[in-house]
Amino acid sequence: MTTLNNGYIVDNEIAKAFTGQKLNLLSPVTLKENLAYIFTLLGITRYPEKEEFMVIEDFIRSSYPNYTIEEFVIAFKMAVQGKLDCSTEHYEKFSPKFIGQVIAAYTKKALEVRKMIKPILNEIETPKLSDDDIVSFTQKEWLNSAKNDFNKVFNANKVFGILLKQGKLKFQEHEMLEIIRIVREDNLQKLNKLYGLDAKNFRESIKDNDFVDTQCKKLALVKYFEGLSS
């Protein structure tokens, strides 16, 4: 705990976490490593399957883009310690609903801390990434990866929007239809390999237009990146 000049006592760990790495710009590897730590904290012994993890990752990045990974980890650490008003009963499922309950409880605590230290935070200059930096980072992550699953492209909505605005993404109608066809076939193949609750969850995900739209953007970015490197 830290005592500020105004006499307030705040949680120093939360305060430091505000200036960490944003979830929407975090590399997939780093996110996975931190999730493994969280699973250990929670006592989750069954690691999500590939398709399930894809849904979890997309939910985290799209729902909490401006939270830092440090905040995300601290939220679950505090929940386990009983410092947040939420349940840590997970039933071996790190589901979006469970994540939402913990982060909602953390947010209440974080807002209290942020109000207390707002003058201090205003003095801290947060590094700003240019649009080109954001695109370059995502491009390098993909080109240096195994390149075996377009769903692994992260920050797709942000990067797609930047490139579209810059006029660098230009697809003919038949190319867009081909992207949609590939995404649908890929989803169907994945669904046929799943069983029980995993199949049910993934089936619900691919009914979500926003989820499929993001998948299409990811595949479009892959085609763009690989076109530049060829």
Side-chain angles (χ1 to χ4, degrees):
M1 306 296 281
T2 297
T3 303
L4 303 179
N5 293 333
N6 57 14
Y8 283 116
I9 298 176
V10 301
D11 191 307
N12 194 44
E13 196 172 17
I14 292 179
K16 287 181 178 179
F18 290 151
T19 56
Q21 301 179 73
K22 299 292 185 184
L23 286 172
N24 65 336
L25 291 176
L26 196 68
S27 75
V29 173
T30 302
L31 178 59
K32 197 167 187 177
E33 289 172 348
N34 281 277
L35 286 178
Y37 174 75
I38 290 172
F39 292 162
T40 301
L41 279 179
L42 294 169
I44 294 178
T45 57
R46 188 188 73 82
Y47 201 82
E49 296 293 334
K50 180 181 175 182
E51 288 75 17
E52 186 181 0
F53 184 83
M54 181 181 72
V55 174
I56 292 171
E57 181 179 5
D58 182 73
F59 175 78
I60 292 172
R61 292 187 189 281
S62 60
S63 300
Y64 311 107
N66 294 318
Y67 286 69
T68 68
I69 184 59
E70 290 82 0
E71 286 186 278
F72 198 74
V73 171
I74 287 170
F76 288 93
K77 184 177 178 181
M78 293 179 69
V80 171
Q81 293 172 333
K83 294 181 179 179
L84 297 181
D85 185 21
C86 64
S87 171
T88 55
E89 193 64 62
H90 49 72
Y91 305 103
E92 285 291 327
K93 294 288 290 184
F94 196 66
S95 66
K97 182 178 180 181
F98 174 68
I99 295 170
Q101 290 173 344
V102 173
I103 298 302
Y106 163 78
T107 300
K108 292 179 182 178
K109 180 79 69 175
L111 285 175
E112 295 173 4
V113 175
R114 193 175 287 277
K115 288 177 183 178
M116 294 179 188
I117 65 172
K118 187 175 182 180
I120 296 176
L121 288 177
N122 288 339
E123 295 174 7
I124 300 174
E125 179 145 3
T126 304
K128 301 250 188 216
L129 289 175
S130 68
D131 285 349
D132 288 341
D133 288 334
I134 294 171
V135 172
S136 177
F137 186 76
T138 298
Q139 180 181 346
K140 288 177 181 177
E141 279 288 325
W142 171 256
L143 294 177
N144 293 330
S145 71
K147 295 187 284 189
N148 57 1
D149 184 0
F150 63 84
N151 287 293
K152 291 182 180 178
V153 174
F154 80 100
N155 207 21
N157 289 320
K158 177 74 173 179
V159 175
F160 188 91
I162 291 171
L163 291 173
L164 198 63
K165 184 179 179 181
Q166 293 177 343
K168 294 180 179 179
L169 285 181
K170 297 177 181 178
F171 292 98
Q172 299 294 324
E173 183 178 357
H174 72 276
E175 292 176 309
M176 292 188 289
L177 291 174
E178 178 65 8
I179 286 173
I180 295 171
R181 183 190 67 79
I182 293 173
V183 168
R184 285 176 175 171
E185 287 187 359
D186 187 72
N187 284 339
L188 184 59
Q189 290 176 6
K190 288 176 180 175
L191 184 60
N192 289 336
K193 295 177 182 178
L194 297 175
Y195 299 93
L197 190 56
D198 289 337
K200 179 182 177 182
N201 290 337
F202 189 65
R203 187 179 294 107
E204 289 301 314
S205 295
I206 60 179
K207 287 180 181 178
D208 184 336
N209 290 333
D210 289 337
F211 179 81
V212 177
D213 181 62
T214 298
Q215 286 185 302
C216 290
K217 288 177 181 177
K218 289 180 177 181
L219 182 54
L221 289 174
V222 165
K223 290 182 176 294
Y224 173 75
F225 292 151
E226 294 186 347
L228 292 178
S229 63
S230 61

